[in-house]
Amino acid sequence: MHAVVGNQQAQAILERALISGQARQAYLLYGPEGVGKLTLAQAFAQALLCQRRPLDSSDPCGECVSCRKVAHHNHPDLALIEPEDGKRWLAIETVREMVRLASLAPTEGAHRIFIIPEAERIQERTGNALLKTLEEPPDDVVILLLATDPDDLLPTILSRCQLVALRPLAPAEISAALRERWSVAPDAADRLAALANGRLGWAVRAHERPEEQAERERLLERIIALAGAPSDERMRIAATLGSDNAATRVTLELWIAWWRDVALAASGAHSLLSSGAARREATRLGAAIGPEPARLFLRALIEALASMDINANPRLTLENLALALPTPRSTGARTGGARQ
Ligand SMILES: [Zn+2]
């Protein structure tokens, strides 16, 4: 599936299914928002429905009537099952209609495929309406559920899916994809990749909407400023870093990526991912605080991100981190004044 970037393991699972001709009937593609779940699901659907795909290949031809209909979102055998506009939950009527369609033979292709982009939005009663189709699906039906976290799904649904994990991409993968597929200039691609937290989807969007990139650059600037600020100033900055769980996750992921560079610089490594001012500041700070404090704080950041999964208080988490920031050990470093 050449349309998909990265996540080779996830791709390999689906490619094997295509080449063996033995697709499972329900998959759960899961991973962080913006990581490419829908792109992968659509590529898989296109390959399953392609009329000219060679038996030993997992790549859809991209040109047959089926491929074109999938690309234009009007293939009669591929349906996106989503909540109605403005609604939080998937309507039971929508699922009942899906179940009815699943019982019919495909119109044009060899399969009927349903993609449910936000499987977390299935409530128990709606899920029960779906179960029979998941338990005894007609041979030609393939259901692709997408979710951020499998733990948010009803266990009865989860147990019937083959799990396919997607992970954030490395900055180098994102930068290469931006250059090769979206013709982004190398410098701009590197900058976007450094801000993307592993999400190609975010990088592509931010490339088209510069205000999103600017906003995240300002966030990174505040994260960097925090490291050099005196302790009374830290609380003020920490309060601007994330008001809710989602925003705090973004902050923590960005902070971890940059602080990893601080820890690398502290141990004398030169293979940093940041560029420009962020890189200079990581190098300076790493040298000033030393490897052990840098490593310990990196661990604290990673633990703080994990604590967001169990609904830790975002404000308190950020304030605690701001207070725990290691202080530069050398007298020449910019520490924002004397300390007791
Ligand atoms: Zn085709």
Side-chain angles (χ1 to χ4, degrees), residues 188-225:
D190 282 348
R191 269 175 55 201
L192 280 165
L195 295 167
N197 289 341
R199 270 67 144 185
L200 180 58
W202 179 88
V204 170
R205 208 171 59 225
H207 173 56
E208 284 152 9
R209 285 189 239 150
E211 66 276 12
E212 281 206 34
Q213 181 177 355
E215 190 184 320
R216 196 160 287 189
E217 269 167 355
R218 286 196 296 275
L219 177 61
L220 180 59
E221 279 165 18
R222 291 203 300 279
I223 287 170
I224 294 172

Side-chain angles (χ1 to χ4, degrees), residues 81-332:
I81 308 298
E82 297 179 289
E84 291 158 37
D85 276 351
K87 293 280 164 58
R88 177 179 174 131
W89 301 105
L90 196 58
I92 193 158
E93 296 75 25
T94 308
V95 168
R96 287 199 179 121
E97 175 61 9
M98 170 186 157
V99 168
R100 188 187 71 80
L101 282 172
S103 69
L104 306 175
T107 318
E108 293 182 5
H111 298 277
R112 251 189 203 280
I113 303 170
F114 300 93
I115 300 178
I116 307 182
E118 291 175 291
E120 299 95 337
R121 292 164 183 256
I122 302 174
Q123 285 172 305
E124 193 160 359
R125 186 162 154 257
T126 319
N128 289 340
L130 185 62
L131 268 190
K132 184 140 175 57
T133 307
L134 278 173
E135 279 166 356
E136 299 160 28
D139 285 343
D140 42 26
V141 166
V142 177
I143 301 171
L144 301 167
L145 298 120
L146 317 184
T148 306
D149 184 348
D151 291 343
D152 295 339
L153 261 63
L154 299 170
T156 43
I157 290 183
L158 192 59
S159 65
R160 285 167 180 88
C161 297
Q162 166 151 11
L163 301 194
V164 180
L166 280 83
R167 312 209 179 282
L169 305 186
E173 285 179 303
I174 293 184
S175 177
L178 289 172
R179 279 180 274 127
E180 288 156 20
R181 299 177 186 219
W182 282 271
S183 307
V184 179
D187 278 3
D190 282 348
R191 269 175 55 201
L192 280 165
L195 295 167
N197 289 341
R199 270 67 144 185
L200 180 58
W202 179 88
V204 170
R205 208 171 59 225
H207 173 56
E208 284 152 9
R209 285 189 239 150
E211 66 276 12
E212 281 206 34
Q213 181 177 355
E215 190 184 320
R216 196 160 287 189
E217 269 167 355
R218 286 196 296 275
L219 177 61
L220 180 59
E221 279 165 18
R222 291 203 300 279
I223 287 170
I224 294 172
L226 189 63
S231 44
D232 51 347
E233 178 74 4
R234 287 182 182 181
M235 299 311 261
R236 193 192 62 75
I237 301 176
T240 71
L241 291 180
S243 46
D244 58 15
N245 192 300
T248 303
R249 277 172 197 271
V250 170
T251 295
L252 288 172
E253 286 174 350
L254 200 57
W255 202 346
I256 288 168
W258 180 68
W259 197 270
R260 199 165 266 146
D261 275 358
V262 174
L264 278 171
S267 52
H270 296 286
S271 53
L272 310 191
L273 296 171
S274 326
S275 59
R279 186 190 181 96
R280 285 195 297 281
E281 195 56 18
T283 308
R284 189 199 65 77
L285 188 65
I289 59 177
E292 190 56 14
R295 195 185 62 76
L296 285 176
F297 190 68
L298 180 58
R299 203 162 76 190
L301 285 171
I302 292 168
E303 280 167 9
L305 181 59
S307 78
M308 288 292 108
D309 286 342
I310 48 171
N311 286 319
N313 180 313
R315 175 86 186 254
L316 223 60
T317 303
L318 291 168
E319 284 181 357
N320 287 342
L321 287 168
L323 289 175
L325 262 169
T327 311
R329 58 185 176 180
S330 79
T331 48

